[in-house]
Amino acid sequence: MRDFVNEIKNCQNLAELEKIRLEIFGKKGILATGFAKLKELDESAKKDFAESLNRQRDELGALLEAKKDELNELEILAKMKQDAVDISLFNEPLQTGAIHPVMDVMDRIIEYFVSQNFSLETGPLVEDDFHNFEALNLPKYHPARDMQDTFYLKDSRLLRTHTSPVQIRKMLSSKPPIRMIAPGSVFRRDFDVTHTPMFHQVEGLVVEQGDSVSFANLKSMLENFLKYMFGDVKVRFRPSFFPFTEPSAEVDISCIFCHGEGCRVCKHTTWLEVLGCGVVDPNVFKAVGYKDVSGYAFGLGVERFAMLLHRVPDLRSLFEGDLRLLEQFR
Ligand code: PHE
């Protein structure tokens, strides 16, 4: 007679246990064969044997159940152990990255204008003369082209020197009303403490049918924007010139560093120049085939904003990828 009690106790896995169960309870198992033998026995032996069979059935059945629970549990534990992710693996804190200060300021500017219902437009970095100059009232040989030292490609295309060509593309592809900003990189042949050959601008353009858009609209909109960006500053509009706007203005804020004392950043003027703007020149509307419309436009340098907001003394340092600078913005 096999020692099923010990076989069950020592069983290591569910498959093995199932084999044992079949050897006891299966069609050809010891119980079935035992009960089949009963009829060959005489009355008294039959009774004893039947009793022993019943006892074995109950005892072994209970043992099997208990063992099955135990093995099931062990299998789940083993699987959990295998699937577990060891979250203690990195015991040194990971270095986290940071948003680059220029992109951070760009995001804040975009967020503001999106909240004011401006749409977000983009255009190509490689532009042609028409979109970058001609349609913006900068005909060939116009002296104002010298304001922007241009990178030309061999095929006479160029790297856009400002985001203003996106105005032209937007006006050529849709009708007024337009209320857009165009953030993006621009390129000029310039390199010193306050200039890098690639930098970022955000362009703005508002156009309405009729004469409803005025310089006053532009003024109040920009004043609100600059107060949002720089806090409680004074805003000053200074007459200036851009070929694509008339009248044009350069916009200054009161110096956020010296608050009227005069310092090196404001070159002792107590004012900081932050953007250019104006009422859209009729020649620009003519170039895109718009009639009886009015509009204003503005353009700002994102690095200029970032320099002022983060007190970065040398603009070039923003593009050197030096971790010691970038880590300060974590
Ligand atoms: N495009 C001008 C520049 O790059 C900025 C500007 C845009 C000025 C729109 C007026 C209106 O200097």
Side-chain angles (χ1 to χ4, degrees):
M1 182 70 185
R2 273 169 70 178
D3 183 358
F4 278 112
V5 173
N6 262 320
E7 277 190 40
I8 294 171
K9 274 188 185 153
N10 296 330
C11 175
Q12 297 295 321
N13 61 60
L14 286 167
E16 203 183 305
L17 190 70
E18 176 62 8
K19 239 160 102 194
I20 298 172
R21 191 189 68 80
L22 286 174
E23 278 168 330
I24 301 167
F25 288 93
K27 266 190 199 148
K28 291 178 183 156
I30 54 146
L31 291 176
T33 32
F35 281 115
K37 253 194 220 145
L38 272 182
K39 54 181 174 309
E40 296 160 20
L41 300 175
D42 60 41
E43 245 0 80
S44 70
K46 195 187 244 174
K47 191 169 170 249
D48 287 350
F49 193 55
E51 262 173 17
S52 107
L53 282 176
N54 281 335
R55 204 177 45 246
Q56 280 192 67
R57 184 192 60 201
D58 294 347
E59 280 177 12
L60 293 175
L63 269 178
L64 276 168
E65 258 333 284
K67 189 69 182 181
K68 193 172 160 195
D69 287 349
E70 183 191 321
L71 288 175
N72 258 329
E73 187 119 336
L74 285 176
E75 235 159 72
I76 290 170
L77 284 177
K79 190 162 164 46
M80 281 184 7
K81 209 168 180 182
Q82 196 183 28
D83 293 352
V85 175
D86 183 358
I87 55 169
S88 67
L89 193 56
F90 298 98
N91 56 7
E92 265 177 39
L94 282 174
Q95 294 275 332
T96 48
I99 306 281
H100 191 280
V102 173
M103 287 303 125
D104 172 58
V105 171
M106 179 95 111
D107 285 347
R108 274 153 67 183
I109 296 170
I110 291 171
E111 250 166 48
Y112 179 82
F113 284 107
V114 167
S115 83
Q116 302 296 309
N117 264 334
F118 283 72
S119 71
L120 215 62
E121 309 294 337
T122 53
L125 306 186
V126 177
E127 267 294 3
D128 51 41
D129 191 88
F130 174 77
H131 292 91
N132 196 80
F133 291 127
E134 195 98 29
L136 288 161
N137 197 27
L138 269 148
K140 288 205 173 59
Y141 311 115
H142 191 290
R145 285 196 181 198
D146 291 346
M147 280 162 73
Q148 306 182 348
D149 282 314
T150 311
F151 286 111
Y152 283 97
L153 277 68
K154 286 200 180 102
D155 58 9
S156 89
R157 287 182 304 162
L158 48 88
L159 298 183
R160 68 179 184 191
T161 57
H162 50 180
T163 40
S164 301
V166 186
Q167 285 187 30
I168 301 300
R169 290 183 177 274
K170 177 69 180 173
M171 287 192 279
L172 285 173
S173 66
S174 57
K175 290 195 173 76
I178 289 171
R179 195 172 169 82
M180 59 153 264
I181 55 164
S185 21
V186 300
F187 307 86
R188 290 184 201 175
R189 299 175 42 149
D190 242 341
F191 190 65
D192 60 40
V193 195
T194 52
H195 296 89
T196 49
M198 186 280 304
F199 60 105
H200 299 82
Q201 286 188 334
V202 175
E203 186 84 9
L205 174 71
V206 169
V207 183
E208 297 268 357
Q209 204 64 52
D211 58 4
S212 58
V213 181
S214 70
F215 197 90
N217 299 145
L218 171 65
K219 240 185 120 176
S220 68
M221 189 278 298
L222 284 178
E223 266 174 22
N224 289 335
F225 163 62
L226 291 171
K227 289 196 159 117
Y228 169 82
M229 291 302 290
F230 293 103
D232 188 21
V233 287
K234 274 184 266 168
V235 179
R236 171 173 92 168
F237 287 71
R238 211 166 9 87
S240 184
F241 172 80
F242 298 103
F244 27 89
T245 47
E246 180 61 35
S248 306
E250 262 159 338
V251 184
D252 303 335
I253 56 169
S254 51
C255 183
I256 53 176
F257 300 107
C258 65
H259 306 286
E261 301 269 309
C263 68
R264 267 179 55 205
V265 186
C266 65
K267 301 200 183 86
H268 298 279
T269 63
T270 74
W271 293 98
L272 300 165
E273 186 192 319
V274 287
L275 56 82
C277 66
V279 168
V280 179
D281 192 288
N283 282 338
V284 174
F285 288 139
K286 207 182 282 172
V288 296
Y290 274 16
K291 283 196 184 76
D292 303 321
V293 293
S294 54
Y296 64 67
F298 61 91
L300 63 87
V302 182
E303 279 75 5
R304 173 88 180 136
F305 275 52
M307 267 180 104
L308 295 174
L309 289 168
H310 292 300
R311 300 177 187 227
V312 181
D314 186 337
L315 198 109
R316 293 170 295 194
S317 67
L318 289 173
F319 300 109
E320 279 164 358
D322 189 330
L323 285 177
R324 289 168 304 177
L325 178 116
L326 298 174
E327 275 168 354
Q328 296 175 49
F329 298 97
R330 259 220 294 275

